[in-house]
Amino acid sequence: MNQLRAVLAALLVIGLLITAGCGTGQENSQSEQQNNQITANGLADTKSKSSASGQQLKKVKLIIYFPNENGEKLLAADRTVNLVGTDKYSAAVNELLQGPKKGEGTNVIPKNTQLLNTGIDNAGIVTVNFNNAFVKNFTGGSTGELMLIGSIVDTLTNFQEVKAVRFYVEGKPLDALSGHMDLTAPVTRIKNIL
């Protein structure tokens, strides 16, 4: 009877060891799988962030236009910008807002003008929405208005998909800047000032 108990106890211990060993193997295997999944997810997240960062940091070459010193025509200026948290249309307009570098013409953007947002519809019409300073601080006449509107429109219509530009101020359509140009309809490229 003692031998039977010893054999049963030995079998029980062996069974427990086998069960414990298998359980540990499974736990290790499951743990490794979870770690692999976590690593795989971590890599996917990193690649995703990297990819998203890559898109945000994508360099884009732009041609923007500033009026010449006499206000007779627009001069082309090359820019390379990083698209950091913005689209290429906003980047182009923001480059205009920063003004020309030496030899690139003169600044025609009204003081304290800020771009609030841009958008493009399926017809290729870009909407530019400025703060109130765009109208309030504009001091030019008919030529100044033509140069200002032309610099924005001709800069944006350099993008192949852009057909015209619609102007907004504080989210409301802009009908006219100082009464010389009709802005009720989207403005197409103004070729005669290039």
Side-chain angles (χ1 to χ4, degrees):
M1 185 81 149
N2 283 340
Q3 282 183 336
L4 184 58
R5 281 186 191 168
V7 171
L8 286 176
L11 287 175
L12 182 61
V13 169
I14 291 172
L16 288 173
L17 289 175
I18 290 173
T19 305
C22 289
T24 303
Q26 280 183 325
E27 287 170 8
N28 286 342
S29 177
Q30 286 174 349
S31 177
E32 285 174 16
Q33 286 176 349
Q34 286 173 347
N35 285 340
N36 287 339
Q37 288 173 350
I38 290 168
T39 302
N41 288 341
L43 289 175
D45 288 345
T46 303
K47 286 179 185 174
S48 201
K49 288 175 188 173
S50 224
S51 179
S53 295
Q55 288 175 351
Q56 289 176 345
L57 296 176
K58 182 180 176 185
K59 287 188 177 186
V60 175
K61 290 186 178 186
L62 306 170
I63 297 175
I64 60 177
Y65 294 94
F66 296 105
N68 68 357
E69 297 295 330
N70 300 327
E72 298 169 340
K73 65 178 185 172
L74 297 176
L75 303 174
D78 294 326
R79 294 284 196 281
T80 300
V81 297
N82 288 323
L83 298 183
V84 180
T86 189
D87 60 84
K88 62 185 178 182
Y89 312 115
S90 296
V93 175
N94 281 324
E95 284 296 312
L96 284 174
L97 295 179
Q98 289 180 22
K101 295 177 182 174
K102 187 175 182 180
E104 292 180 338
T106 187
N107 191 6
V108 70
I109 304 292
K111 189 177 181 178
N112 298 321
T113 296
Q114 295 177 351
L115 178 66
L116 302 178
N117 54 40
T118 62
I120 187 167
D121 66 15
N122 292 335
I125 298 171
V126 170
T127 301
V128 289
N129 184 24
F130 293 103
N131 69 345
N132 197 40
F134 184 73
V135 174
K136 183 180 173 186
N137 295 339
F138 178 73
T139 57
S142 59
T143 301
E145 185 173 351
L146 177 62
M147 291 294 121
L148 172 58
I149 299 301
S151 69
I152 296 167
V153 170
D154 290 354
T155 293
L156 290 171
T157 55
N158 267 335
F159 296 109
Q160 186 177 3
E161 68 277 10
V162 178
K163 308 300 180 212
V165 178
R166 181 172 291 150
F167 290 83
Y168 281 73
V169 171
E170 304 285 342
K172 296 178 184 172
L174 181 63
D175 296 335
L177 187 56
S178 66
H180 302 286
M181 290 182 74
D182 179 14
L183 300 178
T184 57
V187 182
T188 58
R189 191 167 184 83
I190 307 172
K191 296 178 183 177
N192 63 340
I193 58 175
L194 290 175

